[in-house]
Amino acid sequence: MDEPTSGLDTINADNICRVILNLSRNQRGLLVVTHKVIDAIKMANRFMFLQGGAVILDGSKDDLVHALIPEVKAFLGEFNFHLDSQSAPDG
């Protein structure tokens, strides 16, 4: 899915996140592309960051939180995003 919550209001974006989370809990593998870090945290149990067509991070929420990769830290910092206050599904 490419940017499934793009252009949606908060209520509908949350509804889409819930649908995707429910699908993933029912043994469905989904690839969701998004620039909305908070939505990704709500939906995902695995995260990948791409730069220049190459994967620079592939891991869990914990890997994301502790990433030492400057590009990942800069991307998250642009949103003043604090992962410790967000929740993601167990997995």
Side-chain angles (χ1 to χ4, degrees):
M1 297 180 179
D2 186 15
E3 301 281 356
T5 59
S6 180
L8 298 179
D9 59 66
T10 303
I11 293 171
N12 285 315
D14 285 345
N15 288 338
I16 293 295
C17 288
R18 269 194 294 279
V19 168
I20 291 170
L21 183 56
N22 286 334
L23 287 171
S24 71
R25 286 184 176 154
N26 290 315
Q27 306 300 317
R28 301 280 192 262
L30 299 170
L31 175 64
V32 178
V33 177
T34 186
H35 290 91
K36 295 183 176 182
V37 179
I38 293 173
D39 288 349
I41 294 296
K42 290 178 187 175
M43 294 183 276
N45 58 13
R46 180 176 170 197
F47 301 87
M48 295 179 79
F49 271 74
L50 302 174
Q51 181 178 18
V55 175
I56 62 170
L57 182 134
D58 180 357
S60 67
K61 177 186 173 190
D62 207 39
D63 295 329
L64 186 64
V65 170
H66 297 102
L68 299 177
I69 302 163
E71 294 85 356
V72 174
K73 291 174 78 171
F75 180 81
L76 297 176
E78 286 179 22
F79 300 99
N80 294 319
F81 188 73
H82 302 285
L83 288 167
D84 295 332
S85 65
Q86 301 299 318
S87 61
D90 294 327

